[in-house]
Amino acid sequence: MGAASKNSRTSVTTHKFFCPCGGEIVMKTLFESGKLKNVAECNKCKRTERRPKDFK
């Protein structure tokens, strides 16, 4: 009996982050001055931070 491959054993989980205002935080990629920049933005209050855990 063959063993399952390593990739089939891993489970994919996605984290949902929420702003204190109650909106959901989504990650966006912006292209500014020749560089890619990842920012986290709240859908409800449009607040932007560098990463989701900075909203706390």
Side-chain angles (χ1 to χ4, degrees):
M1 199 169 191
S5 69
K6 186 176 92 173
N7 290 335
S8 69
R9 289 193 307 259
T10 60
S11 62
V12 177
T13 58
T14 56
H15 296 277
K16 287 198 174 189
F17 294 98
F18 294 97
C19 183
C21 75
E24 187 177 347
I25 298 170
V26 294
M27 291 298 294
K28 294 188 176 184
T29 304
L30 302 176
F31 188 74
E32 293 179 354
S33 63
K35 294 182 182 178
L36 285 175
K37 184 178 176 184
N38 292 319
V39 295
E41 184 179 26
C42 174
N43 285 341
K44 192 173 180 182
C45 65
K46 301 300 182 196
R47 179 176 157 198
T48 59
E49 296 287 343
R50 198 170 136 235
R51 53 197 144 165
K53 67 180 183 180
D54 291 341
F55 280 87
K56 294 181 178 161

